[in-house]
Amino acid sequence: MKSLNNAIAEQAIMKGSPNDHDLERMLMIRQYELTILELFSSGHIKGTTHTCIGQEYIPVALNPFIEEEDFVISNHRGHGHYIARYGDAEGLLAEVMGKKGAVCNGIGGSQHIRRDRFISTGVQAEGIAVGTGIAWSYKFKQQDNLVFVYIGDGTFGRGCLYESLNFAGLWNLPMVIVVENNGIAISTHQSYSMSGSIEGRVRGFDLDYMCVHSKDVNEIREQIGGAIDRVRKEFKPLVIECITERVASHSKGDDTRSPEELERVQENYWYNQLKASDTARVERLEEAVRNQMQTLQELVINREGAEWEDYEKRKNK
Ligand SMILES: Cc1ncc(C[n+]2csc(CCOP(=O)(O)OP(=O)(O)O)c2C)c(N)n1
């Protein structure tokens, strides 16, 4: 098995420390994902799911730059994107479990969420194509908003991504495309699937590009803030490549990585690094978040199933 690409191997470690609010959100996302995996194992959830364990800090770092009228388009690994924006673990848990109180009445499940200006899709690269259309409509209507699209590195294997990048560059669309580069797509390491680089491909379409290695939300914000402001002012699309790691399996129990690689991934996990350096604070916030998720879980499990009729009523309002 080939090793991960060089960028991943050179991954920077967690240097700074998030404030309590950001850390609480990161821990909440992590705890949400752990809860979902447990609920699958115990047979309370059917279907599939993809957790963002390892990548929790990325949407938390991005969140202050996302205004209410901006659009966020997420993907199959989107729980963290949703919770970072709305803090609504309860609605999302109910959604994945198909219970009353679900964000979109249990119709969307884990991968197809819609709320206000947030959508996710499990179809790779569909999000960037749809996001390009929304960004074009913003520009056409001279609306001062951005479209944030999250994609994985494996999504560079899809053709419609390049059509989207082409239009974004050609029309200077107000888009921030966040590539969560965890170096692997299901079980295929990037070194097996990608010729050239994400930067080279993006620059080929004349898009602005930057790469973020840090896992420190404050440092990330310092690095990306000016560039996001420029997209808002100058209508030049931006791609932010975040070098990161998928700590858990692709979906559930389908990890094909070697024990050595998994050990390295655990060593680089922001959670493990922060817990070692700031133990008391992490444990305190973690306990609160764990209790909160436990309460939510009991509440949601015991609810009746979500009803599609509710959705029909809501849709026609
Ligand atoms: C059009 C399409 N083809 C295949 C799949 C199956 N699939 C789901 S996730 C995935 C890999 C995604 O890799 P990446 O974009 O790197 O995101 P990651 O899972 O690493 O977060 C694939 C092939 C899909 N969802 N959509």
Side-chain angles (χ1 to χ4, degrees):
M1 177 77 64
K2 277 192 184 177
S3 64
L4 294 172
N5 66 352
N6 289 339
I8 299 285
E10 286 164 13
Q11 175 119 17
I13 59 159
M14 179 93 182
K15 282 190 274 179
S17 211
N19 65 28
D20 277 7
H21 177 266
D22 290 330
L23 180 53
E24 191 265 348
R25 211 25 84 88
M26 286 152 67
L27 291 169
M28 171 53 83
I29 295 171
R30 172 183 145 83
Q31 200 59 43
Y32 176 89
E33 300 292 44
L34 292 172
T35 303
I36 289 282
L37 289 175
E38 266 170 39
L39 289 169
F40 263 104
S41 301
S42 59
H44 284 93
I45 304 181
K46 298 181 182 64
T48 193
T49 195
H50 310 83
T51 69
C52 67
I53 298 174
Q55 305 175 191
E56 302 93 333
Y57 64 94
I58 296 174
V60 173
L62 260 294
N63 200 47
F65 302 106
I66 302 174
E67 295 181 1
E68 204 179 328
E69 297 293 301
D70 291 342
F71 226 107
V72 174
I73 307 202
S74 171
N75 54 42
H76 60 288
R77 204 175 294 290
H79 303 158
H81 306 151
Y82 178 83
I83 296 174
R85 188 165 198 195
Y86 298 112
D88 176 29
E90 181 176 351
L92 188 61
L93 185 61
E95 180 63 38
V96 177
M97 298 191 76
K99 297 286 192 175
K100 288 246 182 224
V103 187
C104 36
N105 283 71
I107 292 171
S110 167
Q111 299 183 70
H112 296 97
I113 303 295
R114 177 174 171 252
R115 171 175 171 171
D116 307 324
R117 292 185 177 211
F118 180 101
I119 47 176
S120 64
T121 170
V123 182
Q124 271 187 284
E126 183 185 46
I128 192 164
V130 171
T132 304
I134 296 171
W136 184 80
S137 83
Y138 280 172
K139 186 161 183 184
F140 185 72
K141 290 189 257 176
Q142 297 187 319
Q143 203 172 320
D144 181 21
N145 290 114
L146 301 186
V147 179
F148 289 81
V149 183
Y150 287 99
I151 54 172
D153 50 297
T155 302
F156 279 77
R158 282 223 65 206
C160 73
L161 175 124
Y162 298 95
E163 296 177 46
S164 305
L165 296 182
N166 183 50
F167 282 129
L170 187 65
W171 294 333
N172 279 323
L173 299 181
M175 295 176 81
V176 177
I177 299 157
V178 181
V179 183
E180 295 178 302
N181 182 359
N182 58 26
I184 190 165
I186 306 187
S187 54
T188 306
H189 284 130
Q190 199 180 97
S191 51
Y192 280 106
S193 62
M194 186 179 286
S195 172
S197 65
I198 291 172
E199 175 172 10
R201 292 169 182 221
V202 161
R203 291 213 191 269
F205 291 100
D206 198 24
L207 269 61
D208 281 345
Y209 165 89
M210 62 189 301
C211 189
V212 170
H213 285 256
S214 176
K215 294 177 182 173
D216 169 3
V217 291
N218 296 317
E219 191 180 12
I220 295 174
R221 287 173 190 157
E222 273 170 34
Q223 289 172 4
I224 66 177
I228 294 177
D229 271 357
R230 270 197 302 284
V231 183
R232 228 177 260 286
K233 289 191 189 110
E234 296 169 18
F235 282 84
K236 182 127 200 274
L238 167 71
V239 173
I240 304 173
E241 178 181 357
C242 300
I243 304 299
T244 188
E245 277 144 331
R246 193 192 80 201
V247 169
S249 55
H250 168 72
S251 178
K252 311 174 307 296
D254 53 357
D255 214 321
T256 52
R257 292 173 291 185
S258 66
E260 297 75 35
E261 201 176 326
L262 289 174
E263 196 180 320
R264 191 192 60 79
V265 162
Q266 285 290 346
E267 276 170 16
N268 271 340
Y269 187 14
W270 65 265
Y271 167 81
N272 289 332
Q273 292 182 353
L274 203 60
K275 201 159 179 178
S277 64
D278 199 356
T279 313
R281 190 165 73 104
V282 173
E283 282 180 356
R284 173 173 56 81
L285 291 171
E286 193 172 27
E287 195 189 346
V289 158
R290 210 183 286 125
N291 290 340
Q292 206 181 330
M293 271 316 298
Q294 183 60 33
T295 309
L296 276 187
Q297 180 182 327
E298 284 159 19
L299 195 76
V300 172
I301 282 182
N302 292 316
R303 280 189 195 154
E304 286 174 42
E307 286 173 26
W308 285 32
E309 289 78 14
D310 290 354
Y311 170 76
E312 288 299 323
K313 269 189 239 154
R314 207 143 49 110
K315 195 178 71 174
N316 294 326
K317 267 188 189 164

